[in-house]
Amino acid sequence: MDKIYTEADLTKLNKDDMISIFMTMQKLVENLSLTCTEQKVQLEQVNQNMNLILEQLRISKNKQFGRSSEKIVYDGQLELCFDEAEATIVNKCVVEPYMEEVCPKPYKRKKVKGQREEDLKDIPVVVINHELSDEELSERLGDTWKRLPDEVYKRLAFHPAKFEVEEHHVAVYAGNDNETIIRGNRPADLLRSSILTPSLGAAIMNSKYVNAIPLYRLEQEFLRNDVVIRRQVMANWIIRCGERYLSLLYDRLHKEIYKCQVLQADETPVCVSKDGRSAGAKSYMWVYRTGKMHEGSAIVLYEYQKTRNASHPREFLKNYSGIVVTDGYQVYHSLEKEFEDLRIAGCWSHARRRFANVVKALGKEKAKGTLANDALKQIAAIYKLEGLLSELSSEERQKQRQLTVKPLVEAFFAWVKQNQNAVLPKSETGKGFTYCINQEKYLKVFLEVGNVPADNNAAEGSIRGFCIGKRNWHLIDTIDGAKTSAIIYSIAETAKSNNLKPYNYFELLLTEIPKHMEDTNLDFLEDLLPWSEKLPLECKKTK
């Protein structure tokens, strides 16, 4: 065996792993009558199995207790596995190849002078004067004194949410005939006979879908302010407003997203308790967004579906022509074969993930010299060169990718194929090699089109808000609630991506859209799109 396992190593194993090892060793003892060659093969197999078990235990422990960051920093120049020409490119452009640090160092924040003034410059100022009376001045300074420039300092005040009841009085008039009755102009109600206002609706949506606060916590917070609104009532308000008003904007954004040449897609599981299936059945929230390098305004769209099968992206993308960046999920690849105008691009972040798992589990020092560490170094060089092209136009970026990035990508795949048989297929590194080889076609697409990103991190970032919320509220009660959540998350994430204040934007939508419910067309939505120049200033972030 390559390694002699100490008592300390064995005590770290769980019960199931120990039983598996013991049974394997017992079987080996029973077969002592085999030839020496056969015994050696079996011993080697036992050793490999034990190494695989220990590797998975280290990775599992790191995922449970370690940091989730996948960043990696390598100091010095990279020469690993590159020929002379490729090494010249790397060494010229990459002094400190940066991608994402696997074993991050403690971060010490640097204090920036003038940052406070910069942070406060766009907030309304209330001047509070602290002056002395003439009597005090005369007593302390005599009859002769002069005023110097004020000593000025700033503090930031916070005013908690304030509730007030809007009591509307609609004037009623009767004609001289005592038959004709008219009323004053009554503003459009969000929900007839409901106390809901645009500001209250926006506050609830902002709390749940932006700040990930479950409705039961919001109910408690309202109660602490002497306001009684039950969570079931809030849920009903959200569903009705989402279906009646916000769905109109969602459908418009769906049409707009087809104009983008590059999309990114991802999905995450969610539990819906009343979907007609047994408890614990998985539903899925899919997300589609404009590409990270899209030069226009960003759009993020969620879509709820009961399953993860191909019919859902097939329906969503049926009218789309362009490139979709995804992970290695086979469903997307099958769509590429069905749709003539659809092309799938791969994600380098997923390609490096298993190698990062190994390095994080081993630690930076022990990982040196491993194939996983070598793979990360090469991907770090690819990312570093790619990062240097971020400010270029799409056309120029494509040219530079062909000149500088492509040689490193080709060298990486050649190296992977050369070393694939040097590791066990079931090991984490072996699985990483297999993933890269299977995804090679898709991982090279970004080299050919300048505005295709190298990874799908933007889509994962867009679905992160939903995943954080999911940890708080755990499940969605009904299918209607899930569909409405998809609509509101879409508008919230699109608003954030376009530097809008979600609360103000929700309040604007819930104020303006109800005014147009009798319109024969939806042209009014043009002025309400997240990138519209006609949006009021209070909806836009200044920084």
Side-chain angles (χ1 to χ4, degrees):
M1 295 174 66
D2 310 291
K3 178 179 178 179
I4 302 298
Y5 294 98
T6 65
E7 183 177 347
D9 291 331
L10 294 175
T11 57
K12 295 177 182 178
L13 301 178
N14 61 37
K15 179 181 177 181
D16 292 336
D17 295 326
M18 290 294 294
I19 292 174
S20 176
I21 293 172
F22 180 83
M23 296 299 292
T24 303
M25 297 298 293
Q26 187 179 50
K27 185 176 180 181
L28 181 62
V29 172
E30 292 174 354
N31 294 333
L32 286 178
S33 58
L34 299 175
T35 65
C36 292
T37 303
E38 291 173 325
Q39 290 182 32
K40 184 176 181 181
V41 171
Q42 287 203 3
L43 284 170
E44 182 62 30
Q45 184 63 46
V46 171
N47 186 49
Q48 290 177 355
N49 289 340
M50 291 180 69
N51 285 332
L52 288 175
I53 291 171
L54 289 173
E55 179 186 65
Q56 290 304 314
L57 285 171
R58 285 193 296 266
I59 292 172
S60 177
K61 184 178 179 181
N62 184 75
K63 286 181 177 179
Q64 185 175 4
F65 301 108
R67 295 183 62 170
S68 60
S69 171
E70 292 183 0
K71 292 185 177 181
I72 181 167
V73 171
Y74 290 107
D75 300 323
Q77 294 179 320
L78 288 187
E79 333 172 302
L80 179 68
C81 307
F82 300 129
D83 61 26
E84 185 176 349
E86 292 155 355
T88 301
I89 294 174
V90 177
N91 292 334
K92 180 179 178 182
C93 302
V94 188
V95 177
E96 293 183 355
Y98 169 80
M99 183 179 139
E100 298 176 301
E101 187 181 1
V102 171
C103 305
K105 299 177 181 178
Y107 175 70
K108 186 176 181 180
R109 186 178 298 279
K110 295 181 180 179
K111 189 173 182 179
V112 181
K113 291 184 178 180
Q115 187 62 45
R116 176 181 292 180
E117 291 298 321
E118 178 66 23
D119 292 341
L120 299 178
K121 71 175 185 178
D122 297 313
I123 299 176
V125 176
V126 176
V127 177
I128 302 174
N129 293 311
H130 305 281
E131 299 176 337
L132 297 177
S133 66
D134 290 343
E135 290 77 8
E136 289 177 299
L137 289 170
S138 297
E139 181 182 341
R140 298 172 64 178
L141 297 177
D143 295 333
T144 305
W145 52 269
K146 62 180 179 179
R147 183 164 178 167
L148 301 177
D150 291 352
E151 175 189 353
V152 179
Y153 66 92
K154 294 182 178 180
R155 297 291 184 267
L156 185 64
F158 171 73
H159 301 286
K162 183 177 71 172
F163 295 88
E164 61 184 16
V165 176
E166 295 179 352
E167 186 175 271
H168 294 259
H169 291 246
V170 181
V172 181
Y173 307 88
N176 291 330
D177 57 3
N178 292 325
E179 293 183 3
T180 305
I181 297 178
I182 62 174
R183 291 177 173 81
N185 296 324
R186 175 174 174 164
D189 290 321
L190 274 176
L191 302 174
R192 189 76 175 183
S193 302
S194 168
I195 64 172
L196 182 66
T197 60
S199 60
L200 180 57
I204 295 171
M205 291 179 182
N206 186 69
S207 296
K208 180 173 181 180
Y209 297 99
V210 178
N211 296 324
I213 300 175
L215 293 183
Y216 79 89
R217 292 187 194 170
L218 197 57
E219 177 186 10
Q220 295 169 345
E221 179 63 21
F222 285 163
L223 196 56
R224 284 189 282 268
N225 286 275
D226 298 319
V227 176
V228 180
I229 307 177
R230 290 176 173 77
R231 69 195 79 172
Q232 295 86 351
V233 174
M234 288 188 277
N236 182 54
W237 287 347
I238 289 173
I239 292 173
R240 292 173 66 186
C241 287
E243 292 176 343
R244 188 176 300 180
Y245 306 119
L246 301 184
S247 62
L248 301 178
L249 182 63
Y250 177 90
D251 292 340
R252 175 60 186 274
L253 292 174
H254 196 166
K255 294 178 181 177
E256 291 289 330
I257 203 172
Y258 285 154
K259 299 176 183 179
C260 181
Q261 182 189 6
V262 179
L263 299 183
Q264 297 183 235
D266 198 11
E267 73 285 333
T268 188
V270 62
C271 287
V272 178
S273 58
K274 298 174 184 176
D275 65 353
R277 296 180 294 176
S278 58
K282 283 185 179 180
S283 297
Y284 284 85
M285 193 67 80
W286 300 69
V287 66
Y288 304 87
R289 61 156 294 148
T290 50
K292 177 183 177 182
M293 296 177 174
H294 178 54
E295 295 177 356
S297 301
I299 300 174
V300 180
L301 294 182
Y302 281 71
E303 184 183 50
Y304 164 76
Q305 296 292 351
K306 288 177 68 172
T307 65
R308 199 187 181 201
N309 65 49
S311 62
H312 309 311
R314 181 184 295 114
E315 178 65 22
F316 190 94
L317 299 169
K318 66 180 180 181
N319 296 321
Y320 177 70
S321 298
I323 299 172
V324 181
V325 184
T326 72
D327 54 24
Y329 188 31
Q330 185 59 37
V331 158
Y332 299 111
H333 302 157
S334 64
L335 295 181
E336 185 181 45
K337 299 174 183 177
E338 297 178 24
F339 297 150
E340 183 178 350
D341 297 328
L342 181 66
R343 191 175 184 189
I344 301 298
C347 173
W348 277 90
S349 182
H350 281 78
R352 68 180 297 283
R353 193 155 291 171
R354 291 190 182 277
F355 307 130
N357 288 342
V358 175
V359 173
K360 285 195 293 183
L362 290 175
K364 203 168 185 179
E365 292 301 317
K366 291 183 179 180
K368 288 181 178 179
T370 63
L371 290 175
N373 193 61
D374 294 347
L376 282 179
K377 282 187 176 183
Q378 294 181 71
I379 297 175
I382 293 169
Y383 262 90
K384 180 62 177 181
L385 290 180
E386 171 65 17
L388 298 175
L389 310 178
S390 60
E391 300 300 322
L392 301 180
S393 66
S394 177
E395 294 75 14
E396 186 60 30
R397 188 184 300 113
Q398 189 270 336
K399 293 178 183 177
Q400 292 300 319
R401 280 173 171 174
Q402 290 291 314
L403 290 174
T404 60
V405 182
K406 185 176 180 179
L408 304 190
V409 172
E410 297 291 353
F412 171 75
F413 282 108
W415 176 83
V416 169
K417 293 171 184 176
Q418 179 183 350
N419 290 277
Q420 185 181 19
N421 295 328
V423 294
L424 295 173
K426 293 184 179 180
S427 67
E428 196 75 358
T429 303
K431 292 177 181 177
F433 283 167
T434 301
Y435 180 92
C436 290
I437 292 173
N438 291 341
Q439 299 293 315
E440 180 177 2
K441 168 187 171 183
Y442 308 104
L443 290 171
K444 289 182 177 180
V445 171
F446 84 105
L447 299 172
E448 304 171 24
V449 185
N451 59 353
V452 173
D455 56 46
N456 200 32
N457 289 350
E460 294 189 350
S462 295
I463 209 169
R464 184 170 180 267
F466 176 82
C467 294
I468 292 174
K470 184 172 61 174
R471 292 180 182 179
N472 291 337
W473 38 256
H474 300 300
L475 53 81
I476 299 175
D477 191 42
T478 65
I479 291 179
D480 287 340
K483 291 180 178 179
T484 302
S485 292
I487 292 172
I488 301 177
Y489 269 115
S490 300
I491 295 174
E493 292 298 327
T494 302
K496 290 193 291 184
S497 298
N498 286 276
N499 294 316
L500 299 182
K501 300 174 183 177
Y503 167 80
N504 299 78
Y505 188 53
F506 279 130
E507 185 179 20
L508 175 70
L509 296 177
L510 294 177
T511 300
E512 295 299 322
I513 295 179
K515 298 177 182 178
H516 299 272
M517 297 311 291
E518 303 299 325
D519 291 8
T520 56
N521 61 60
L522 301 178
D523 292 344
F524 72 92
L525 290 173
E526 188 72 28
D527 296 338
L528 297 177
L529 292 173
W531 51 85
S532 171
E533 295 295 330
K534 295 185 179 181
L535 291 181
L537 290 177
E538 57 263 26
C539 288
K540 301 176 182 179
K541 290 176 60 179
T542 56
K543 294 184 178 61

